[in-house]
Amino acid sequence: LNLIITLITSLEVIKVYLLEDYFIESQIELYKEQVPIKVNSYTNLKDIDKKDNKIKYTYQIVNKRFSHIASLNLKSFKEDVQNSLCEDETTLDLLKKNYVLEYDYLDDKNDELIKIVTTKESCGPSIYDLDMLKVILNNQNQP
């Protein structure tokens, strides 16, 4: 009986992961149909792709003036991007599921300016802090 329960539970978990992965792939396909997408006055999302557990975003700097600025401040830029990924609930959910987020930034000539690879380890041990806080708050709200 325990074996049957374990098998059924395992199958349910597999279904959830397969459905989540399918949903992520379908969302990416929707974005791919819309590229290039203007992100701001100097950047376009040029491509998005998913292979296994890696989601790769390719951005292009379309304003030469910003291309030069970005090349001077790459370390700070990388930190800013990773910090924003580690603070966003959507990307945090992906990272917690062991997805790797890769952001490639190209200049106006399609030369790579910077590649930013983010994993859940990039966000540090505090990645689960909000989950723990939600559990604590839910426990306090229960009678």
Side-chain angles (χ1 to χ4, degrees):
L1 184 62
N2 285 336
L3 178 61
I4 293 172
I5 293 172
T6 302
L7 285 173
I8 290 172
T9 304
S10 297
L11 286 173
E12 291 301 314
V13 168
I14 289 170
K15 276 192 229 175
V16 167
Y17 281 110
L18 288 175
L19 287 174
E20 283 181 351
D21 199 51
Y22 173 77
F23 176 73
I24 291 168
E25 286 180 11
S26 64
Q27 291 295 100
I28 288 172
E29 289 304 314
L30 285 174
Y31 277 116
K32 285 181 85 129
E33 293 173 7
Q34 299 174 24
V35 294
I37 299 171
K38 186 174 184 159
V39 177
N40 52 37
S41 63
Y42 55 90
T43 311
N44 287 343
L45 176 62
K46 184 177 178 179
D47 192 24
I48 182 171
D49 196 25
K50 179 185 174 300
K51 185 173 183 183
D52 300 323
N53 71 330
K54 180 167 86 174
I55 302 173
K56 180 178 178 180
Y57 301 84
T58 304
Y59 291 93
Q60 185 166 35
I61 307 294
V62 292
N63 186 320
K64 290 180 185 183
R65 184 171 59 113
F66 286 101
S67 178
H68 177 68
I69 291 170
S71 66
L72 296 176
N73 229 351
L74 293 180
K75 183 178 179 184
S76 174
F77 180 74
K78 178 180 178 179
E79 289 173 358
D80 290 346
V81 170
Q82 284 195 317
N83 286 340
S84 69
L85 294 174
C86 293
E87 294 171 359
D88 180 76
E89 191 172 340
T90 303
T91 54
L92 272 177
D93 286 343
L94 290 171
L95 293 170
K96 289 176 190 175
K97 294 173 184 155
N98 292 317
Y99 279 92
V100 175
L101 304 177
E102 180 178 307
Y103 287 68
D104 292 341
Y105 286 84
L106 309 176
D107 65 14
D108 58 324
K109 298 173 189 160
N110 285 327
D111 294 326
E112 184 177 287
L113 286 170
I114 189 169
K115 180 182 299 240
I116 303 169
V117 178
T118 305
T119 64
K120 69 180 175 183
E121 288 79 17
S122 304
C123 298
S126 64
I127 191 170
Y128 296 102
D129 286 356
L130 287 178
D131 294 337
M132 289 187 273
L133 183 60
K134 286 179 188 175
V135 169
I136 291 169
L137 292 175
N138 282 338
N139 288 339
Q140 287 180 347
N141 291 335
Q142 293 180 359

